[in-house]
């Protein structure tokens, strides 16, 4: 929820700025992302989160998915519309061109500029740098859907394990294809110039592009409508832990939703960047939900008389849990090291 709301915080002011044709941000409240994320939470997310059943959000979820399909189509379309290298890169090359002509022969200059253009527009299969520490956690975080499985299962008509497995397979496959194509064509558009937030990279080409503006609005709608869906299993888990034997209460239902949204808004307001949120959450909760918890639950639930600890399934489950712990430690170590080195390079102000 914090990652989704951070997108609202960072993107909504830019959308308003473009709609109002402002050359630069003003100090007005409607250009402050902190105020806007609170306004969106109160007027849109909270009313949807107060619904009693998750099934009521089915139409909102479908509309959210259609917005992301529009985002994917736009990214693919822009790949064939934006030239490479970018205009600003050409300007930098022209400056280098002038310098080289003044200090060397035209032939050497022409060869150097041509090599630079090829490097700018040539894809690299693998790049290793400080930001690589965030890559795997973000990829793992993108496929964390485990908390929604049981709430969705309970909303199914005639729920069965086979039907839920089919839904999970189709959902994960479709999302994987969408993520893969968006990442691929986004990278093939800008290559080494891609920023951590893809839509910000398009603004460098044309900040008034109508299509990109519509994509920004679609992404905002998608992430906003996703927050109530994520909130439902969190609230249900809290109710199950704290009030296991209590009947449904609207007062408790509303209070938990309000407290959760307030806590997430505070985190979003004081968080320094979306990259840190995705990286930190991906390095902590994602390994637990994907690797550690399922393996431990399987070991704990399966009786020892049916499957002893030395049986192949439980050995594999143990290795799976150890892999998750190793993955978490390595990711957190890389991220903390990147924070520390970044703070040292900026004089401790980062």
């Amino acid at each position: 929820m914090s990652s989704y709301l951070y997108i609202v915080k960072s993107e909504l002011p830019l959308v308003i700025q473009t709609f109002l044709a402002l050359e630069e941000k003003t100090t007005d409240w409607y250009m402050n992302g902190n105020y806007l994320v609170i306004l969106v939470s109160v007027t849109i997310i909270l009313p949807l989160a107060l619904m009693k059943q998750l099934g009521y959000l089915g139409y909102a979820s479908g509309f959210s998915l259609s917005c992301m399909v529009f985002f994917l189509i736009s990214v693919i379309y822009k790949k064939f519309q934006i030239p490479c290298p970018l205009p600003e890169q050409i300007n930098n090359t022209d400056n280098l061109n002038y310098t080289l002509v003044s200090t060397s022969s035209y032939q050497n200059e022409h060869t150097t500029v041509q090599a630079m253009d090829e490097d700018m527009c040539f894809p690299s299969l693998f790049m290793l740098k400080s930001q690589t520490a965030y890559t795997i956690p973000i990829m793992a975080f993108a496929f964390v859907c485990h908390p929604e499985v049981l709430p969705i299962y309970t909303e199914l008509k005639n729920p069965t394990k086979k039907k839920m497995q089919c839904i999970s397979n189709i959902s994960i496959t479709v999302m994987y294809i969408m993520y893969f194509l968006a990442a691929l064509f986004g990278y093939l558009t800008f290559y080494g110039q891609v920023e951590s937030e893809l839509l910000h990279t398009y603004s460098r080409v044309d900040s008034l592009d109508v299509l990109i503006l519509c994509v920004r609005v679609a992404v905002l709608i998608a992430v906003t409508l996703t927050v109530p869906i994520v909130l439902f299993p969190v609230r249900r888990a809290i109710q199950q832990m704290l009030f296991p034997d209590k009947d449904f209460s609207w007062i408790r239902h509303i209070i938990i939703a309000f407290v959760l949204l307030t806590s997430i808004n505070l985190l979003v307001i004081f968080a320094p960047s979306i990259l840190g949120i995705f990286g930190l959450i991906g390095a902590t909760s994602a390994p637990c939900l994907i690797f550690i918890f399922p393996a431990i639950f399987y070991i704990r639930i399966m009786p020892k008389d049916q499957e002893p600890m030395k049986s192949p399934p439980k050995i594999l489950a143990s290795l799976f849990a150890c892999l998750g712990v190793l993955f978490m430690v390595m990711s957190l170590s890389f991220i903390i090291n990147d924070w520390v080195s970044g703070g040292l390079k900026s004089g401790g102000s980062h």
Side-chain angles (χ1 to χ4, degrees), residues 127-135 275 331 333-339 341-342 345:
M127 289 185 295
L128 184 62
K129 52 184 180 180
S130 62
Q131 301 300 313
T132 307
Y134 297 92
T135 304
L275 187 62
S331 299
S333 301
F334 288 141
I335 291 174
I336 294 174
N337 179 70
D338 181 61
W339 287 353
S341 60
K345 290 179 181 178

Side-chain angles (χ1 to χ4, degrees), residues 146-147 149-150 237 241 285 287-304 307 309 313-314 316-322:
H146 305 57
V149 171
L150 289 178
M241 288 188 300
S285 64
C288 291
L289 293 172
I290 295 177
F291 300 100
I292 302 175
F293 289 164
I296 294 178
F297 291 161
Y298 178 81
I299 295 174
R300 183 71 178 87
I301 292 174
M302 291 301 296
K304 293 183 178 180
E307 286 191 9
M309 282 300 300
K314 286 198 173 182
L316 290 176
S318 302
L319 295 175
F320 205 61
C322 293

Side-chain angles (χ1 to χ4, degrees), residues 232-246:
F232 261 80
V234 178
R235 176 173 50 200
R236 179 170 296 186
I238 293 176
Q239 290 178 337
Q240 187 65 27
M241 288 188 300
L242 302 180
F243 313 100
D245 300 324
K246 299 290 185 179

Side-chain angles (χ1 to χ4, degrees), residues 175-212:
M175 288 299 100
Y176 174 79
I177 294 174
M178 290 182 60
Y179 286 144
F180 176 78
L181 292 178
L184 176 63
F185 282 91
Y187 172 69
L188 293 179
T189 303
F190 301 103
Y191 298 95
Q193 302 299 315
V194 179
E195 299 181 14
S196 58
E197 298 179 52
L198 179 60
L199 292 178
H200 286 185
T201 318
Y202 289 103
S203 300
R204 292 166 46 189
V205 180
D206 184 3
S207 59
L208 300 179
D209 191 326
V210 177
L211 178 59
I212 296 302

Side-chain angles (χ1 to χ4, degrees), residues 18-91:
T18 306
F19 269 120
L20 299 180
L22 300 176
E23 295 184 357
E24 58 183 14
K25 288 186 178 181
T26 66
T27 56
D28 296 327
W29 69 269
Y30 54 82
M31 291 298 295
N32 189 314
N34 294 331
Y35 293 145
L36 292 176
V37 74
I38 295 175
L39 181 63
V40 170
S41 298
V42 173
T43 59
I44 300 177
I45 297 176
L46 184 60
L48 292 176
L50 295 182
M51 292 185 177
K52 185 176 180 181
Q53 300 294 333
L54 182 61
Y56 297 149
L57 296 177
Y59 295 105
S61 178
F63 184 63
S64 173
L65 180 60
S66 65
C67 290
M68 297 311 297
V69 172
F70 173 67
F71 165 76
L72 173 60
I73 294 174
S74 301
V75 170
I76 296 175
Y77 172 77
K78 279 296 180 180
K79 162 66 181 76
F80 303 99
Q81 295 294 316
I82 297 178
C84 183
L86 299 178
E88 62 183 42
Q89 294 173 319
I90 296 177
N91 293 335

Side-chain angles (χ1 to χ4, degrees), residues 46 68 104 112 114 121 150 153 172 195 229 244 263 265 276 331:
L46 184 60
M68 297 311 297
S104 182
T112 304
Q114 185 178 10
C121 304
L150 289 178
Y153 178 83
I172 293 176
E195 299 181 14
I229 299 175
S263 303
N265 272 270
S331 299

